[in-house]
Coordinates of all heavy atoms in Angstrom, one line a residue:
S1 N -151.4 54.4 -50.9 CA -151.4 52.9 -50.9 C -150.3 52.4 -51.8 O -149.5 51.5 -51.4 CB -152.8 52.4 -51.3 OG -153.1 52.9 -52.6
Q2 N -150.2 52.9 -53.1 CA -149.2 52.3 -54.0 C -147.8 52.6 -53.6 O -146.9 51.8 -53.6 CB -149.5 52.8 -55.4 CG -150.8 52.3 -56.1 CD -150.8 50.8 -56.2 OE1 -149.8 50.2 -56.5 NE2 -151.9 50.2 -56.0
G3 N -147.6 53.9 -53.2 CA -146.3 54.3 -52.7 C -145.9 53.5 -51.5 O -144.7 53.0 -51.4
V4 N -146.8 53.4 -50.5 CA -146.5 52.6 -49.3 C -146.3 51.2 -49.7 O -145.4 50.5 -49.1 CB -147.6 52.8 -48.3 CG1 -147.5 51.8 -47.1 CG2 -147.7 54.2 -47.8
Y5 N -147.0 50.6 -50.6 CA -146.9 49.2 -51.0 C -145.5 49.0 -51.6 O -144.8 48.0 -51.3 CB -147.9 48.9 -52.1 CG -147.7 47.5 -52.8 CD1 -147.9 46.4 -52.1 CD2 -147.2 47.5 -54.1 CE1 -147.7 45.1 -52.7 CE2 -147.0 46.3 -54.7 CZ -147.3 45.1 -54.0 OH -147.0 43.9 -54.6
R6 N -145.0 49.9 -52.5 CA -143.7 49.8 -53.1 C -142.6 49.8 -52.0 O -141.6 49.1 -52.1 CB -143.5 50.8 -54.2 CG -144.3 50.5 -55.5 CD -143.8 51.4 -56.6 NE -144.2 52.8 -56.3 CZ -145.3 53.4 -56.7 NH1 -146.2 52.7 -57.4 NH2 -145.5 54.7 -56.5
K7 N -142.8 50.8 -51.1 CA -141.8 50.9 -50.0 C -141.8 49.7 -49.1 O -140.7 49.2 -48.7 CB -142.0 52.2 -49.2 CG -141.7 53.5 -50.0 CD -142.0 54.7 -49.2 CE -141.5 56.0 -49.9 NZ -142.2 56.1 -51.2
I8 N -142.9 49.2 -48.9 CA -143.0 48.0 -48.0 C -142.4 46.8 -48.7 O -141.6 46.0 -48.1 CB -144.5 47.7 -47.6 CG1 -145.0 48.7 -46.6 CG2 -144.6 46.3 -47.0 CD1 -146.5 48.6 -46.3
V9 N -142.6 46.6 -50.0 CA -142.0 45.5 -50.8 C -140.5 45.6 -50.7 O -139.8 44.7 -50.5 CB -142.6 45.5 -52.2 CG1 -141.7 44.5 -53.0 CG2 -144.0 45.1 -52.2
F10 N -140.0 46.9 -51.0 CA -138.5 47.1 -51.0 C -138.0 46.8 -49.6 O -137.0 46.1 -49.4 CB -138.2 48.5 -51.4 CG -136.8 48.8 -51.3 CD1 -135.9 48.4 -52.2 CD2 -136.3 49.6 -50.2 CE1 -134.5 48.7 -52.1 CE2 -134.9 49.9 -50.1 CZ -134.0 49.4 -51.1
S11 N -138.5 47.4 -48.5 CA -138.0 47.2 -47.2 C -138.2 45.7 -46.8 O -137.3 45.2 -46.0 CB -138.7 48.1 -46.2 OG -140.1 47.9 -46.1
G12 N -139.3 45.1 -47.2 CA -139.4 43.7 -46.9 C -138.4 42.8 -47.5 O -137.9 41.8 -46.9
G13 N -138.0 43.1 -48.8 CA -136.9 42.4 -49.4 C -135.6 42.6 -48.7 O -134.9 41.6 -48.5
V14 N -135.3 43.8 -48.2 CA -134.1 44.1 -47.5 C -134.1 43.3 -46.2 O -133.1 42.7 -45.8 CB -133.9 45.6 -47.3 CG1 -132.7 45.8 -46.3 CG2 -133.7 46.3 -48.6
S15 N -135.3 43.3 -45.5 CA -135.4 42.6 -44.2 C -135.3 41.1 -44.4 O -134.6 40.5 -43.6 CB -136.8 43.0 -43.6 OG -136.9 42.3 -42.4
Q16 N -135.9 40.6 -45.5 CA -135.7 39.2 -45.7 C -134.3 38.8 -46.0 O -133.8 37.7 -45.6 CB -136.7 38.7 -46.8 CG -136.7 37.2 -47.1 CD -137.7 36.9 -48.1 OE1 -138.3 37.7 -48.8 NE2 -137.9 35.6 -48.3
W17 N -133.6 39.7 -46.8 CA -132.2 39.4 -47.1 C -131.4 39.4 -45.8 O -130.5 38.6 -45.6 CB -131.7 40.4 -48.0 CG -130.2 40.4 -48.2 CD1 -129.5 39.5 -49.0 CD2 -129.3 41.3 -47.5 NE1 -128.1 39.8 -48.8 CE2 -128.0 40.8 -48.0 CE3 -129.4 42.3 -46.6 CZ2 -126.8 41.5 -47.5 CZ3 -128.2 42.9 -46.2 CH2 -127.0 42.5 -46.6
W18 N -131.7 40.3 -44.9 CA -131.0 40.4 -43.6 C -131.3 39.2 -42.7 O -130.4 38.6 -42.1 CB -131.3 41.7 -42.9 CG -130.8 41.8 -41.5 CD1 -131.5 41.9 -40.4 CD2 -129.4 41.9 -41.1 NE1 -130.7 41.9 -39.3 CE2 -129.4 41.9 -39.7 CE3 -128.2 41.9 -41.8 CZ2 -128.2 42.0 -39.0 CZ3 -127.0 41.9 -41.0 CH2 -127.1 42.0 -39.7
Q19 N -132.5 38.9 -42.5 CA -132.9 37.9 -41.5 C -132.9 36.5 -42.1 O -132.6 35.5 -41.5 CB -134.3 38.2 -41.0 CG -134.4 39.5 -40.2 CD -135.7 39.7 -39.5 OE1 -136.5 38.7 -39.4 NE2 -136.0 40.9 -39.1
D20 N -133.2 36.4 -43.4 CA -133.2 35.1 -44.1 C -134.0 34.0 -43.3 O -133.7 32.9 -43.2 CB -131.8 34.6 -44.3 CG -131.7 33.5 -45.3 OD1 -132.7 33.3 -46.1 OD2 -130.8 32.7 -45.3
N21 N -135.1 34.5 -42.7 CA -136.0 33.6 -42.0 C -135.3 32.9 -40.9 O -135.6 31.8 -40.5 CB -136.8 32.6 -42.9 CG -137.7 33.3 -43.8 OD1 -138.3 34.3 -43.4 ND2 -137.9 32.8 -45.0
S22 N -134.3 33.5 -40.3 CA -133.5 32.8 -39.3 C -133.8 33.4 -37.9 O -133.6 34.6 -37.7 CB -132.0 33.0 -39.6 OG -131.2 32.4 -38.6
L23 N -134.2 32.6 -37.0 CA -134.5 33.1 -35.7 C -133.2 33.5 -34.9 O -133.2 34.4 -34.1 CB -135.2 32.0 -34.9 CG -135.6 32.3 -33.4 CD1 -136.6 33.4 -33.4 CD2 -136.2 31.1 -32.7
K24 N -132.1 32.8 -35.3 CA -130.8 33.2 -34.7 C -130.4 34.6 -35.0 O -130.0 35.4 -34.1 CB -129.7 32.2 -35.1 CG -130.0 30.8 -34.7 CD -128.9 29.9 -35.2 CE -129.1 28.4 -34.8 NZ -128.0 27.5 -35.4
V25 N -130.6 35.0 -36.3 CA -130.3 36.4 -36.6 C -131.2 37.4 -35.9 O -130.7 38.4 -35.4 CB -130.3 36.6 -38.2 CG1 -130.1 38.0 -38.6 CG2 -129.4 35.6 -38.9
Y26 N -132.4 37.0 -35.8 CA -133.4 37.9 -35.1 C -133.0 38.0 -33.6 O -132.9 39.2 -33.1 CB -134.8 37.3 -35.2 CG -135.8 38.0 -34.3 CD1 -136.2 39.3 -34.5 CD2 -136.2 37.3 -33.1 CE1 -137.1 39.9 -33.7 CE2 -137.1 38.0 -32.3 CZ -137.5 39.2 -32.6 OH -138.4 39.8 -31.7
L27 N -132.6 36.9 -33.0 CA -132.2 37.0 -31.6 C -130.9 37.8 -31.4 O -130.8 38.5 -30.4 CB -132.1 35.6 -31.0 CG -133.4 34.9 -30.9 CD1 -133.2 33.4 -30.4 CD2 -134.4 35.6 -30.0
F28 N -130.0 37.6 -32.4 CA -128.8 38.4 -32.3 C -129.0 39.9 -32.4 O -128.5 40.7 -31.7 CB -127.8 37.9 -33.4 CG -126.5 38.7 -33.5 CD1 -125.5 38.6 -32.5 CD2 -126.4 39.7 -34.5 CE1 -124.4 39.3 -32.6 CE2 -125.2 40.4 -34.6 CZ -124.2 40.2 -33.6
T29 N -129.9 40.2 -33.4 CA -130.3 41.6 -33.5 C -130.9 42.2 -32.3 O -130.7 43.3 -31.9 CB -131.3 41.8 -34.7 OG1 -130.7 41.2 -35.9 CG2 -131.5 43.2 -35.0
F30 N -131.8 41.4 -31.6 CA -132.4 41.8 -30.4 C -131.4 42.0 -29.3 O -131.5 42.9 -28.5 CB -133.5 40.8 -30.0 CG -134.1 41.0 -28.6 CD1 -135.1 42.0 -28.5 CD2 -133.6 40.4 -27.5 CE1 -135.6 42.3 -27.3 CE2 -134.2 40.7 -26.3 CZ -135.2 41.6 -26.2
F31 N -130.4 41.1 -29.3 CA -129.3 41.2 -28.3 C -128.6 42.5 -28.5 O -128.3 43.2 -27.5 CB -128.4 40.0 -28.4 CG -127.2 40.1 -27.5 CD1 -127.4 39.9 -26.1 CD2 -126.0 40.3 -28.0 CE1 -126.3 40.0 -25.2 CE2 -124.9 40.4 -27.1 CZ -125.0 40.2 -25.8
V32 N -128.2 42.9 -29.7 CA -127.5 44.1 -30.0 C -128.3 45.3 -29.6 O -127.9 46.3 -29.0 CB -127.1 44.2 -31.5 CG1 -126.5 45.5 -31.8 CG2 -126.1 43.1 -31.8

């Protein structure tokens, strides 16, 4: 649980940095 939690927090931060809550970035990623 703790290890998975830390990994999820880290990957979630990276994902939030990448997507920045932008639907356009998500759709572009889906297109690629």
Side-chain angles (χ1 to χ4, degrees):
S1 57
Q2 292 298 323
V4 171
Y5 169 74
R6 286 192 292 270
K7 288 180 175 57
I8 289 176
V9 169
F10 175 75
S11 61
V14 174
S15 177
Q16 185 175 7
W17 170 79
W18 168 250
Q19 297 187 15
D20 195 21
N21 293 325
S22 175
L23 182 63
K24 294 179 181 178
V25 176
Y26 168 73
L27 292 176
F28 175 74
T29 308
F30 174 80
F31 175 72
V32 174

